[in-house]
Amino acid sequence: MTDRAAARAAKGVLADQLSAQPGVVGIGLARRDSGYVVKVDVADADAAGLVPRDVDGVRVVTEVVGVIRPLRSRTA
């Protein structure tokens, strides 16, 4: 079981490692079982291969979510 503080620290380490990697679109925390994991959202399966399975003993999970684009506002 990983507590929130450990997962948050691992998220910071991983964010530094992946900040320049194309295809990584988001990094956050998620609850799994009775603890926390670092969750990495990626644009495609190729980008998922760049993500380690754990950081400092904290499990890392990936999810392919596609490319993230801002919503366009509608004008009347």
Side-chain angles (χ1 to χ4, degrees):
M1 175 176 85
T2 300
D3 66 17
R4 188 174 184 177
R8 186 176 290 146
K11 175 189 167 200
V13 170
L14 191 58
D16 288 343
Q17 290 176 0
L18 297 177
S19 64
Q21 294 297 329
V24 174
V25 297
I27 302 174
L29 302 181
R31 289 207 54 131
R32 294 288 194 275
D33 303 321
S34 59
Y36 288 87
V37 299
V38 178
K39 182 173 176 284
V40 180
D41 294 333
V42 294
D44 54 43
D46 291 337
L50 303 172
V51 180
R53 294 182 184 260
D54 71 84
V55 173
D56 296 336
V58 176
R59 192 173 116 200
V60 177
V61 297
T62 59
E63 183 175 351
V64 177
V65 297
V67 176
I68 306 291
R69 292 188 178 91
L71 292 174
R72 296 177 193 226
S73 63
R74 289 185 171 201
T75 55

